[in-house]
Amino acid sequence: MQQHQTRYPLRLVFWETTARCNLNCIHCRASATPEALPGELTTEEALAFVRSLASFAGSNPILILSGGEPLYRADIFEIAAEATRLGLRVALATNGTLVDDAVAEKARAAGIVRAAVSLDGPDAAIHDSFRGRDGSFELAVAGLKRLQATGLETQINTTVTRHNVDALPRLLELAIELGVKALHVFLLVPVGCGVEISDEQMIPPERYEAVLEWLFDESQRVPIELKATCAPHYFRIMRQRAKALGVELPRGHGMSAVTKGCLAGQHVCFISYSGEVYPCGYLPVSSGNIRTTPLEQIWDTSAVFARLRDPDLLQGKCGVCGFRIVCGGCRARAYALEGNYLAEEPFCIYEPPPK
């Protein structure tokens, strides 16, 4: 198969398979609903999408099936199996509550390489209040164990807010106890329902910095992979902490790749339930729709993506920071709080030295 060559190979594609969900999470990017929204990609359109992705990306991208709750789609494993057949690596991001033995086996049979289950606390009291449903913690843990029983690699995703930040050490120990491959820590971005809780739940910049320093230090100790997401200045902190401790920077590949901070529009894109293409799931600036324009064309010609790929366009202290190439600041957080995705990262306390 002739593969597409690009200076910015596509590494991760997040597809919002549906906006439907059985939970009511207070931080949800999607403002999920139990009913299908008009315009959801059909099975045929979804299969066409994965075929086009496999034909042009040229870098063996990871396709992440997210939502909403992807298990609400009756065709999710048909689509996953086709993507696997075409050579794509497929991951599943689920809340875990709908995973019974049959679902877990279907996930394995479809070739899914990793399943990420969301846990926003180490116990039911924290997790259930965040997820808006009593019993969701027990169901999520049970679902994770069923996925593991089939041989699937698993990880835990958690969104850090004031609600659970003090419980992160206990959540890390639970992740180790459960035997997952990785713990991915997401820092809240104020979009979707996150807008409504941002003033109450976003941790202050100083605590943000402390969490990321803690994450790096723990990564030197624990037997599982730790990764910060929507926290690009972790890549500055990694370099600062590694130098201070005299250790090598962590390396990885695939889902544990250590590359750079904000990858929105550079090596990552997000496809909405209706086919809209965004730089990431938290930056709601559309660059087109796969129903009318091939993803390859959008990826190569989007003016939004082009601006995100040029670090010289970054503004404020991000524009003069010596770490701007490896960090870049969270473009989605800048857009949410400043209305400008090229503005400086508003939750970074680092002050670049004067030139």
Side-chain angles (χ1 to χ4, degrees):
M1 181 181 294
Q2 181 67 36
Q3 288 194 317
H4 178 79
Q5 298 299 317
T6 176
R7 185 180 170 195
Y8 295 93
L10 195 50
R11 307 294 191 193
L12 290 170
V13 179
F14 294 84
W15 174 34
E16 180 189 36
T17 59
T18 182
R20 288 172 283 174
C21 190
N22 59 322
L23 300 183
N24 187 30
C25 307
I26 65 172
H27 65 298
C28 183
R29 173 202 56 74
S31 299
T33 169
E35 304 297 331
L37 294 179
E40 187 174 287
L41 293 179
T42 66
T43 301
E44 292 72 22
E45 288 171 325
L47 291 172
F49 157 57
V50 298
R51 288 165 186 153
S52 69
L53 181 61
S55 70
F56 95 89
S59 56
N60 193 22
I62 299 168
L63 174 61
I64 300 174
L65 306 175
S66 68
E69 173 50 57
L71 296 180
Y72 260 72
R73 284 193 69 125
D75 58 2
I76 195 66
F77 296 121
E78 175 187 355
I79 296 165
E82 176 66 0
T84 298
R85 185 187 71 80
L86 293 167
L88 296 171
R89 291 173 291 170
V90 183
L92 177 70
T94 174
N95 63 43
T97 62
L98 301 178
V99 179
D100 57 20
D101 291 337
V103 166
E105 179 54 33
K106 287 177 181 178
R108 184 207 62 78
I112 288 171
V113 297
R114 182 180 289 190
V117 174
S118 296
L119 285 181
D120 289 307
D123 55 45
I126 296 175
H127 178 86
D128 290 3
S129 62
F130 212 65
R131 292 275 156 179
R133 177 181 170 185
D134 291 343
S136 58
F137 177 80
E138 291 185 5
L139 288 170
V141 171
L144 186 147
K145 290 179 178 179
R146 290 187 180 104
L147 291 162
Q148 290 176 326
T150 70
L152 266 180
E153 198 173 83
T154 57
Q155 75 180 48
I156 289 173
N157 290 347
T158 189
T159 299
V160 180
T161 66
R162 293 177 190 265
H163 179 83
N164 63 3
V165 64
D166 291 331
L168 283 178
R170 289 196 292 129
L171 180 62
L172 174 56
E173 294 308 313
L174 175 63
I176 296 169
E177 177 186 326
L178 289 172
V180 298
K181 180 73 172 179
L183 171 63
H184 287 203
V185 175
F186 291 70
L187 273 294
L188 181 67
V189 180
V191 297
C193 293
V195 173
E196 301 172 11
I197 67 166
S198 59
D199 290 343
E200 173 190 349
Q201 288 292 350
M202 288 192 75
I203 60 176
E206 294 77 12
R207 191 67 187 277
Y208 193 134
E209 188 92 353
V211 166
L212 296 179
E213 290 185 350
W214 169 82
L215 192 70
F216 179 82
D217 291 345
E218 290 299 298
S219 74
Q220 304 298 299
R221 178 185 71 86
V222 299
I224 65 174
E225 300 164 4
L226 299 183
K227 187 173 182 180
T229 302
C230 300
H233 37 296
Y234 183 60
F235 288 77
R236 163 183 55 84
I237 288 170
M238 279 198 303
R239 284 159 175 78
Q240 292 172 320
R241 296 296 294 158
K243 182 178 180 180
L245 296 173
V247 298
E248 291 187 4
L249 283 173
R251 301 180 184 276
H253 62 280
M255 285 173 227
S256 61
V258 176
T259 51
K260 60 173 291 186
C262 185
L263 297 174
Q266 299 176 54
H267 299 291
V268 166
C269 74
F270 176 89
I271 314 296
S272 80
Y273 72 91
S274 61
E276 289 293 313
V277 180
Y278 300 102
C280 79
Y282 301 100
L283 180 50
V285 180
S286 178
S287 292
N289 192 295
I290 60 173
R291 281 180 160 134
T292 57
T293 309
L295 180 59
E296 173 182 354
Q297 182 178 337
I298 295 171
W299 183 254
D300 284 345
T301 65
S302 162
V304 174
F305 289 0
R307 287 191 286 270
L308 289 168
R309 293 167 183 171
D310 186 351
D312 292 335
L313 295 180
L314 294 176
Q315 299 168 12
K317 66 181 181 181
C318 285
V320 298
C321 183
F323 292 100
R324 75 183 190 281
I325 303 299
V326 297
C327 170
C330 177
R331 300 298 96 219
R333 200 171 286 115
Y335 182 79
L337 297 181
E338 304 294 335
N340 173 11
Y341 57 77
L342 296 175
E344 68 181 48
E345 158 71 64
F347 276 75
C348 177
I349 65 171
Y350 179 72
E351 292 294 336
K355 291 186 177 181

